[in-house]
Amino acid sequence: MPSSLTPPSQNASLHQGITLSLVAALLFGASTPLAKLLLADTSPWLLAALLYLGSGIGLAVWRALRAVRSGEAATSHLQAGEWPWLAAAIFSGGVAAPVLLMFGLSRMPAAGASLLLNLESVLTALLAWFVFRENFDRRIALGMGAIVLGSVVLNWPGQGMRLDWSSLWPGLAVIGACLGWALDNNFTRKVALADASFVAMSKGLIAGAVNLLLAMLVGAQWPTWPIVLAAGALGFASYGVSLVLFVLALRHLGTARTSAYFAVAPFFGAALAVLLLGEALTLGLVLAGGLMALGVWLHVSERHAHAHDHEAMHHSHRHVHGGPKDDGHHDHVHEPPVPIGTQHSHPHDHAPLRHTHAHFPDAHHRHRHG
């Protein structure tokens, strides 16, 4: 018989995951209007490199300062089998996807490319559901559909904007970029229990270096240092901190749900453009906001509970023993015992367990359904 368990932190974990993903979307969405201000003084490809490098270098400095303050060496907490997943995420989302996007953008209207980029959240969810077997139901699918539809409405070209689809290859390249980022999102879930700042730092440094090399090869001109510093600071916040929060949200919500919340980033960017750049408050913006709000509500109001099995597992991540933040899945023994409420990180084992409680496809609930 399954035991009944209602972890005191279940709702807190859900709300924390939602908050993390929405703040990540806010930071990433803000990058578009702010980067637009910088594009007057540097090329798009070089700006992309500076944003990634700003993310990687900023997080490297932050990790070094954290290690000095704590007196402990900075570690990745990656298990031996997780390195290939991180490498695949960096290659698909940090190296291949930007190159494909640049190829497409150079040969098709930007409005068409913007429409196609909305496929990232759809492809992320489809991969999570049908390849990586993350559970979903009609409510989650409808919520994802509402958010994506809102994003399409937000990016739909206005009157007088004509799309020229003279060739399929540019569009296929942008779709390939979306697929690269969708794979990145799902691969990153495999390392979501590792140090999130290490994951984001690695992506920033490697992708930034590759983009910088490519930008130099195509003849990009180095901008003034104020522009370089501004781009680096923007990259640290909108790519580095945002990605750290995204990885942390994956632990609580799983890939599809985190990506669904993150898909509201275009709305945040458009709202900031209205306030910062003085762009018009259009009917499309209002309609998109309503659709995205509906999608977020469908996800927030989800209730998923059933008897499920936990297989034996060995991994390392930060967790809590006892108290209101205990998720009910970390009752392993410590010698000597640790005080209630202790939060720490170390390799630990999970014994097989069967019980019933409300849960989401977080790091400890990746069981199959049906």
Side-chain angles (χ1 to χ4, degrees):
M1 295 293 292
S3 63
S4 178
L5 171 67
T6 304
S9 67
Q10 186 61 55
N11 287 333
S13 178
L14 169 63
H15 295 154
Q16 184 178 2
I18 293 172
T19 301
L20 289 168
S21 55
L22 289 178
V23 174
L26 172 61
L27 291 173
F28 184 76
S31 67
T32 301
L34 294 176
K36 185 174 183 178
L37 297 174
L38 299 174
L39 280 173
D41 299 292
T42 186
S43 71
W45 209 327
L46 183 56
L47 179 59
L50 295 174
L51 291 171
Y52 274 102
L53 286 174
S55 166
I57 295 173
L59 289 174
V61 172
W62 181 81
R63 282 171 54 82
L65 294 175
R66 184 182 64 175
V68 171
R69 185 174 64 251
S70 65
E72 299 178 359
T75 59
S76 65
H77 297 299
L78 277 172
Q79 304 297 304
E82 293 175 337
W83 287 99
W85 292 111
L86 177 58
I90 293 173
F91 176 78
S92 60
V95 177
V99 172
L100 289 170
L101 178 59
M102 291 301 136
F103 175 84
L105 281 174
S106 67
R107 292 167 174 81
M108 69 178 292
S114 296
L115 287 175
L116 287 177
L117 284 174
N118 289 298
L119 289 174
E120 179 190 344
S121 59
V122 178
L123 293 173
T124 296
L126 292 177
L127 285 171
W129 294 340
F130 298 110
V131 177
F132 294 92
R133 300 300 183 181
E134 188 172 295
N135 77 289
F136 71 100
D137 54 27
R138 183 179 300 174
R139 189 182 194 88
I140 293 299
L142 288 174
M144 170 63 78
I147 292 172
V148 172
L149 182 58
S151 186
V152 171
V153 169
L154 189 64
N155 288 279
W156 194 262
Q159 185 176 3
M161 296 182 66
R162 182 174 59 86
L163 300 182
D164 179 14
W165 298 98
S166 59
S167 172
L168 288 178
W169 287 112
L172 291 175
V174 177
I175 294 174
C178 293
L179 178 59
W181 280 312
L183 287 168
D184 176 12
N185 295 334
N186 281 279
F187 292 153
T188 299
R189 184 194 177 182
K190 297 291 188 178
V191 297
L193 290 181
D195 188 312
S197 64
F198 175 81
V199 173
M201 178 194 70
S202 301
K203 288 185 178 181
L205 291 176
I206 296 175
V210 172
N211 283 331
L212 180 61
L213 175 61
L214 293 173
M216 293 294 101
L217 288 176
V218 298
Q221 298 297 313
W222 192 256
T224 61
W225 280 106
I227 297 299
V228 172
L229 294 176
L234 178 60
F236 174 66
S238 295
Y239 287 76
V241 177
S242 176
L243 181 54
V244 170
L245 298 179
F246 183 88
V247 174
L248 293 175
L250 287 173
R251 301 179 184 178
H252 299 279
L253 303 175
T255 309
R257 289 161 179 81
T258 300
S259 295
Y261 291 119
F262 193 78
V264 305
F267 175 75
F268 289 136
L272 184 58
V274 171
L275 298 174
L276 181 64
L277 304 178
E279 296 184 359
L281 181 62
T282 63
L283 176 62
L285 181 60
V286 175
L287 178 59
L291 287 167
M292 290 180 176
L294 172 62
V296 170
W297 175 79
L298 286 170
H299 281 248
V300 171
S301 57
E302 176 194 12
R303 294 295 179 266
H304 181 76
H306 62 89
H308 57 276
D309 294 295
H310 292 266
E311 298 179 354
M313 181 186 298
H314 177 82
H315 59 194
S316 175
H317 66 93
R318 185 166 293 278
H319 56 276
V320 178
H321 292 279
K325 294 185 178 181
D326 189 345
D327 64 4
H329 294 88
H330 295 90
D331 57 355
H332 47 266
V333 178
H334 288 76
E335 290 296 343
V338 298
I340 293 178
T342 296
Q343 182 175 131
H344 58 189
S345 176
H346 64 88
H348 57 276
D349 294 294
H350 290 269
L353 174 67
R354 179 174 175 80
H355 58 193
T356 302
H357 66 88
H359 60 279
F360 305 92
D362 56 30
H364 294 95
H365 295 91
R366 298 178 179 176
H367 48 265
R368 294 182 181 274
H369 292 72

